[in-house]
Amino acid sequence: MTTWRTQTTDERPACHDELSPGNARRRPSRSSAIILVLTGMVMLALVSLVSLNGGWNSIIAERDISLPNIKVNESVHAEPFEARFIRASITDDLKSLGIPKQDGKRGILIYLETMITTDFSVSSDILSKSLTLQASELSEVYALPEDSEKPDPRPTIFRGQDLQQNRAVVQRSFQPGLTQYVVAAWAQNKTEPLPTELTLTLSEFTYRASSVYGGMYWFDKKEKFSISIPVEKLEQ
């Protein structure tokens, strides 16, 4: 019985061409591969973030949206408050108002009337969170020295009638159906130039259940109005 042998045209190993000097292929280094993977992950995260925010057009549009400007003594609604800004003043003597003196600080005072729109009481802490003053070197009037530089200091809300009588009584809460005259107060370093006008924003909140513990509270802060108020003559 005759056995035929088929001669192969090329019995060299498949890797021969890859290893030959003329056909050598460069393999990516380990560090290059890691960089490529990280770049891909960053791009994927960026695309996901843009998609969640409605795409690039929404992001660009948000930049161009300016807050409605309101006037002094104009009544506006920013949940949970109806508010009317009356005037602004600056004082170098916080102690004369019954507020503990802070060395090197002046007081910035915003006077307003407010009424809540709910049928239950609302903490003054919510009003404090809703007011943002556009000014430099601010601090809270009761801030300890080590806390005086914290970002975005919130104002202390005082009862207006008492402050006019040099008694600094903090407004603890707001009751349904009552219009209340209050003063929002910040401290500012005296090294800053005296402003002739103060600009602040008023934000609104949504009353909903917490996704963490289920209780109802005010969440989702969103800026709603902007107002510029002329500063009255420095109080001595």
Side-chain angles (χ1 to χ4, degrees):
M1 181 174 180
T2 303
T3 303
W4 298 92
R5 297 180 61 189
T6 302
Q7 183 177 0
T8 58
T9 58
D10 190 354
E11 295 182 352
R12 292 176 299 174
C15 61
H16 178 82
D17 287 341
E18 296 178 3
L19 299 176
S20 61
N23 296 298
R25 297 180 184 178
R26 299 180 63 185
R27 297 182 181 180
S29 66
R30 182 184 180 91
S31 60
S32 298
I34 293 175
I35 291 173
L36 286 173
V37 171
L38 291 177
T39 302
M41 293 174 64
V42 170
M43 292 300 295
L44 181 60
L46 180 60
V47 170
S48 301
L49 180 63
V50 169
S51 299
L52 288 173
N53 285 278
W56 290 113
N57 289 337
S58 297
I59 293 175
I60 294 172
E62 284 184 5
R63 283 196 208 158
D64 297 330
I65 296 175
S66 58
L67 296 175
N69 290 314
I70 58 177
K71 299 177 180 178
V72 174
N73 286 318
E74 178 182 354
S75 295
V76 292
H77 173 223
E79 193 68 17
F81 297 101
E82 296 280 350
R84 182 172 69 90
F85 294 90
I86 301 170
R87 63 190 181 99
S89 67
I90 294 178
T91 178
D92 267 344
D93 192 3
L94 286 170
K95 192 172 182 179
S96 68
L97 298 175
I99 301 172
K101 181 181 179 181
Q102 294 189 37
D103 292 335
K105 303 282 187 177
R106 66 169 67 103
I108 295 181
L109 310 174
I110 303 292
Y111 303 78
L112 66 152
E113 282 185 349
T114 185
M115 181 174 69
I116 57 175
T117 58
T118 61
D119 57 2
F120 53 87
S121 63
V122 175
S123 169
S124 65
D125 186 57
I126 304 303
L127 180 61
S128 179
K129 290 179 179 178
S130 74
L131 298 174
T132 304
L133 184 62
Q134 308 300 319
S136 302
E137 299 296 327
L138 295 175
S139 60
E140 298 179 5
V141 294
Y142 288 125
L144 297 173
E146 58 269 25
D147 297 328
S148 61
E149 303 300 325
K150 76 176 186 179
D152 300 323
R154 288 162 39 194
T156 301
I157 309 299
F158 293 103
R159 291 167 51 176
Q161 298 296 338
D162 289 303
L163 200 64
Q164 287 182 334
Q165 299 175 20
N166 300 332
R167 294 182 300 175
V169 181
V170 174
Q171 180 81 35
R172 298 297 180 185
S173 63
F174 297 93
Q175 304 303 318
L178 295 178
T179 298
Q180 293 172 284
Y181 175 54
V182 296
V183 180
W186 291 262
Q188 184 186 44
N189 288 344
K190 289 183 179 180
T191 54
E192 287 296 302
L194 280 172
T196 58
E197 186 177 68
L198 293 171
T199 299
L200 70 155
T201 58
L202 174 64
S203 298
E204 64 180 355
F205 292 85
T206 300
Y207 191 66
R208 62 171 177 81
S210 167
S211 58
V212 178
Y213 59 87
M216 299 294 291
Y217 197 66
W218 297 99
F219 297 102
D220 310 325
K221 177 180 176 179
K222 181 181 178 181
E223 293 183 341
K224 190 169 185 180
F225 297 108
S226 175
I227 183 171
S228 295
I229 310 175
V231 175
E232 296 181 355
K233 186 177 179 180
L234 185 68
E235 297 179 0
Q236 299 295 338

